[in-house]
């Protein structure tokens, strides 16, 4: 049971409620409830003075010059919900809908600034705990004023309208309410804006994406570790002192993770031993063409620097997402201490958009790194193994010339890498004026978050294909000399995909490994 108070929600909380179905509750202390009541009463008293209050006793956006009577305030909120029922395209899944509902609840109860009724807060708790979750279309938000259109589907469900996920099916909200004995709650003055005029869809999507993206940092570092083992690389690039001299925390963490794997591998050279055993002595000669290079190629040697950028971008994104998660982000906002109403722009999703824009670029870089590492383990010219990682096949073998191994797998890896790179354009730069030039600079945050989520799924497929190739190389080299963690991963992958003796389709196996990467506890961190 998670207590939601508007101030302390974490990305992990959102993921637990979304994926594990954790139940939620509101604080029990009197101060919390008194604040909700006082802010609501302040709003009612304020609009009763006849002062025009944006979106409460005026129309919305560029139409805010149209003032209505207090008696029409509730109907106006139900109207904004109705005309924003124009979300299109594919639907967010149930888990994302749960995340959206939780994030909106958290923002709406923060400090009483949204001035919602306690009944509305309780209704959102009921939706989560009864698992009656709005079906929300993905298309229709420019990220300012917040996620108006997608969040209208939450507002409509609260009133018993539109569709919900319920007991494994999509049904009308009214049907689910009837089965659970729940009465619809008509939204009242300001509550349509409180529910809709905020960043909760983009923030929820970013939370779920961030958790999946965090794991890819560990998977990428493991792929570097096993690549170094396959290539019989040196330990030097992963020594703590090297990264400490560079200063960046992400690089330090990446190198530490990789070194933690390879330090017990018999295939990794301690540099002093390498110089002693693998380098020919000059012995007075003027020139020696060494058979072994004293340093590895960039895709191994610079991997902590590359993945370090990704790790540090994850940290930056986490901070921004968490701050947005615990913000008051609708308009107008109520301040009961100052006895003021603020017409403002906290619904603007710029930080979420930027966080997701930055993450997509950093993620594309580790995907590109993986593509280069796949090349040097699949192409036999670079590693002393077979061409395309086929089994060792004598010329007189009946299958000689009929085995192509991982040739197509490498093409698939490169194809996905190329597609991943197409997601890197900063979505924030696609802002264009809309809504009669009132919303003349918008964040595009929801699109950015959606694109990040899509890109992450592609990288999982790329890394899964890469792992199949890497485990084939491990078998060709002899698994007994690899690090214990590598052997553990090898054992798990082999439960889904056997050694490729004669060529076969690998599509279903790669897909299974991608799902395993998302689910396994081996890459927790």
């Amino acid at each position: 049971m998670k207590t939601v108070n508007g101030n302390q929600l974490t990305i992990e909380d959102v993921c637990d409620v979304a994926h594990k179905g954790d139940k939620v509750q509101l604080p029990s202390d009197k101060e919390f409830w008194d604040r909700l009541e006082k802010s609501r009463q302040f709003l009612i008293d304020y609009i009763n003075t006849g002062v025009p209050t944006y979106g409460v006793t005026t129309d919305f956006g560029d139409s805010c010059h149209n003032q209505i009577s207090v008696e029409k305030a509730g109907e106006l909120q139900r109207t904004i919900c109705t005309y924003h029922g124009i979300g299109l395209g594919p639907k967010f899944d149930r888990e994302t809908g749960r995340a959206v509902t939780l994030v909106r609840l958290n923002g709406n109860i923060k400090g009483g600034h949204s001035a919602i009724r306690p009944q509305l807060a309780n209704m959102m708790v009921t939706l989560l705990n009864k698992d009656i979750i709005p079906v929300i279309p993905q298309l229709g938000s420019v990220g300012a004023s917040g996620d108006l259109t997608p969040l209208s589907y939450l507002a409509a469900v609260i009133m018993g309208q539109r569709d919900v996920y319920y007991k494994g099916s999509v049904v009308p909200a009214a049907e689910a309410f009837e089965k659970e004995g729940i009465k619809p709650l008509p939204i009242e003055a300001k509550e349509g804006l409180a529910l809709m005029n905020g960043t909760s869809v983009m923030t929820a999507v970013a939370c779920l994406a961030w958790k999946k993206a965090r794991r890819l940092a560990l998977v990428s570092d493991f792929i570097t570790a096993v690549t170094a083992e396959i290539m019989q690389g040196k330990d030097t690039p992963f020594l703590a002192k090297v990264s400490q001299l560079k200063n960046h925390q992400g690089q330090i963490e990446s190198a530490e993770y990789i070194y933690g794997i390879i330090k017990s591998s018999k295939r990794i050279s301690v540099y002093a031993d390498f110089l002693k055993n693998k380098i020919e002595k000059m012995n007075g000669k003027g020139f020696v063409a060494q058979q072994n290079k004293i340093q590895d190629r960039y895709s191994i040697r610079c991997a902590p620097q590359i993945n370090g950028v990704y790790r540090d971008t994850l940290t930056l994104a986490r901070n921004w997402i968490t701050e947005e998660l615990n913000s008051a982000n609708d308009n107008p906002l109520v301040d009961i201490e100052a006895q003021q109403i603020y017409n403002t722009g906290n619904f603007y999703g710029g930080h979420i958009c930027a966080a997701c824009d930055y993450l997509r670029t950093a993620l594309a870089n580790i995907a590109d790194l993986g593509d280069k590492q796949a090349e040097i383990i699949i192409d036999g010219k670079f590693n002393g193994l077979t061409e395309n990682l086929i089994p060792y096949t004598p010329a007189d073998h009946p299958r000689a010339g009929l085995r192509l191994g991982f040739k197509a797998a490498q093409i698939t890896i490169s194809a996905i890498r190329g597609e991943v790179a197409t997601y890197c354009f900063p979505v924030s730069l696609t802002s264009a004026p809309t809504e009669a030039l009132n919303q003349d600079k918008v964040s595009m945050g929801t699109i950015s978050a959606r694109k990040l989520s899509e890109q992450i799924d592609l990288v999982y497929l790329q890394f899964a294909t890469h792992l199949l190739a890497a485990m084939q190389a491990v078998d060709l080299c002899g698994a007994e000399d690899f690090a214990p963690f590598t052997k553990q991963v090898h054992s798990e992958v082999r439960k889904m995909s056997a050694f490729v003796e004669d060529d076969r389709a690998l599509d279903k196996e790669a897909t299974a490994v991608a799902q395993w990467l998302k689910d396994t506890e081996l890459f927790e961190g």
Side-chain angles (χ1 to χ4, degrees):
M1 182 73 74
K2 296 189 184 296
T3 300
V4 184
N5 62 18
N7 299 305
Q8 296 168 316
L9 205 61
T10 67
I11 290 174
E12 288 73 21
D13 290 334
V14 175
C15 293
D16 287 347
V17 170
H19 294 298
K20 298 179 182 178
D22 284 11
K23 294 185 181 300
V24 302
Q25 63 183 6
L26 297 170
S28 58
D29 59 282
K30 186 174 182 297
E31 181 183 353
F32 171 82
W33 294 102
D34 283 350
R35 192 170 187 85
L36 286 189
E37 294 279 8
K38 288 177 181 177
S39 65
R40 183 66 186 176
Q41 190 59 54
F42 171 76
L43 174 71
I44 299 302
D45 292 343
Y46 186 90
I47 63 176
N48 278 325
T49 65
V51 176
T53 306
Y54 172 74
V56 184
T57 56
T58 75
D59 284 345
F60 308 107
D62 187 60
S63 302
C64 66
H65 56 279
N66 298 320
Q67 187 172 357
I68 62 170
S69 67
V70 172
E71 290 74 24
K72 293 182 177 180
E75 184 177 354
L76 180 67
Q77 300 303 297
R78 297 187 282 276
T79 296
I80 190 176
C81 173
T82 299
Y83 77 77
H84 271 284
I86 186 60
L88 300 175
K91 309 300 189 289
F92 288 115
D93 59 19
R94 168 185 159 274
E95 290 76 13
T96 304
R98 286 184 63 81
V100 169
T101 305
L102 174 65
V103 175
R104 197 72 214 123
L105 169 64
N106 195 61
N108 278 165
I109 63 173
K110 181 181 177 67
H113 299 302
S114 296
I116 65 171
R117 291 171 294 161
Q119 300 98 298
L120 179 53
N122 281 321
M123 177 59 102
M124 284 188 270
V125 171
T126 298
L127 293 180
L128 286 167
N129 291 345
K130 294 288 187 180
D131 204 22
I132 301 172
I133 304 303
V135 177
I136 303 173
Q138 294 188 20
L139 305 182
S141 174
V142 294
S145 301
D147 290 314
L148 287 167
T149 291
L151 282 172
S152 77
Y153 287 78
L154 171 59
V157 164
I158 286 168
M159 295 188 290
Q161 301 167 10
R162 301 186 194 166
D163 292 334
V164 294
Y165 294 107
Y166 178 66
K167 295 189 181 300
S169 300
V170 173
V171 302
E175 179 182 322
F177 280 17
E178 183 178 0
K179 289 183 178 180
E180 293 291 341
I182 299 169
K183 292 183 178 180
L185 180 67
I187 54 178
E188 296 293 347
K190 192 191 176 296
E191 290 178 332
L193 278 180
L195 287 165
M196 296 165 53
N197 198 8
T199 60
S200 297
V201 174
M202 67 181 81
T203 304
V205 173
C207 284
L208 301 183
W210 188 94
K211 189 75 181 295
K212 292 192 297 182
R214 172 70 180 90
R215 174 169 291 216
L216 286 173
L218 306 180
V219 177
S220 177
D221 279 337
F222 170 71
I223 287 174
T224 293
V226 71
T227 301
E229 290 187 272
I230 292 165
M231 301 299 294
Q232 295 183 295
K234 291 84 177 168
D235 67 346
T236 308
F238 314 111
L239 298 176
K241 183 65 174 180
V242 173
S243 292
Q244 288 166 3
L245 293 172
K246 180 71 169 176
N247 297 324
H248 297 295
Q249 184 62 31
Q251 179 183 331
I252 291 169
E253 292 172 1
S254 177
E256 180 182 24
Y257 187 84
I258 296 167
Y259 187 74
I261 296 171
I262 66 169
K263 66 182 179 182
S264 51
S265 173
K266 296 178 183 177
R267 294 184 61 84
I268 294 293
S269 297
V270 175
Y271 192 64
D273 295 339
F274 171 82
L275 291 177
K276 180 179 178 181
N277 300 319
K278 299 291 183 71
I279 294 296
E280 181 183 342
K281 303 296 186 294
M282 291 292 290
N283 293 327
K285 300 174 185 174
F287 171 79
V288 171
Q290 297 288 348
Q291 298 302 304
N292 297 296
K293 295 181 179 180
I294 62 170
Q295 61 182 18
D296 299 318
R297 64 188 70 240
Y298 279 21
S299 59
I300 296 175
R301 185 164 29 117
C302 299
Q305 288 82 356
I306 297 165
N307 202 27
V309 173
Y310 181 61
R311 283 174 174 265
D312 282 337
T313 307
L314 282 166
T315 299
L316 172 68
R318 179 188 180 90
N319 291 340
W320 285 1
I321 293 168
T322 303
E323 287 166 354
E324 190 71 37
L325 189 56
N326 293 287
S327 69
N329 52 73
D330 61 287
N331 177 51
L333 295 172
V334 169
D335 183 348
I336 56 175
E337 279 81 22
Q339 295 285 287
Q340 288 202 32
I341 287 186
Y342 303 122
N343 296 329
T344 183
N346 277 7
F347 48 67
Y348 194 89
H351 280 84
I352 295 296
C353 191
C356 295
D357 279 358
Y358 299 162
L359 269 176
R360 289 198 313 281
T361 298
L363 185 55
N365 267 297
I366 66 168
D368 188 53
L369 172 66
D371 183 46
K372 305 307 179 286
Q373 292 173 339
E375 163 66 22
I376 62 174
I377 66 172
I378 294 174
D379 191 333
K381 295 189 291 291
F382 297 115
N383 54 34
L385 298 176
T386 57
E387 186 178 284
N388 299 312
L389 298 176
I390 65 171
Y392 293 103
T393 308
D396 59 353
H397 191 282
R399 301 297 296 170
L402 298 176
R403 289 171 169 169
L404 281 301
F406 282 78
K407 182 184 288 289
Q410 187 186 348
I411 297 171
T412 294
I413 290 168
S414 295
I416 296 173
R417 189 276 313 156
E419 187 161 349
V420 165
T422 69
Y423 281 78
C424 289
F425 185 83
V427 174
S428 59
L429 297 185
T430 66
S431 173
T434 186
E435 202 265 298
L437 210 58
N438 172 60
Q439 297 181 18
D440 54 353
K441 175 64 177 170
V442 293
S443 77
M444 311 302 283
T446 307
I447 299 172
S448 185
R450 284 178 39 239
K451 294 302 179 186
L452 173 62
S453 185
E454 293 170 11
Q455 185 196 43
I456 288 167
D457 287 338
L458 288 173
V459 177
Y460 271 104
L461 289 171
Q462 178 187 328
F463 283 1
T465 308
H466 193 149
L467 268 188
L468 292 180
M471 296 305 102
Q472 181 87 354
V474 168
D475 281 324
L476 292 173
C477 294
E480 64 277 1
D481 288 337
F482 282 79
F485 186 75
T486 302
K487 287 188 276 191
Q488 191 176 3
V489 173
H490 176 266
S491 176
E492 292 298 317
V493 171
R494 283 289 169 255
K495 294 175 184 177
M496 296 169 276
S497 177
F499 178 80
V500 178
E501 189 73 28
D502 288 315
D503 296 347
R504 64 176 187 268
L506 294 173
D507 49 357
K508 291 182 175 61
E509 294 166 44
T511 301
V513 172
Q515 189 59 50
W516 173 78
L517 285 173
K518 293 178 181 179
D519 297 338
T520 180
E521 294 181 0
L522 283 179
F523 295 104
E524 294 287 350

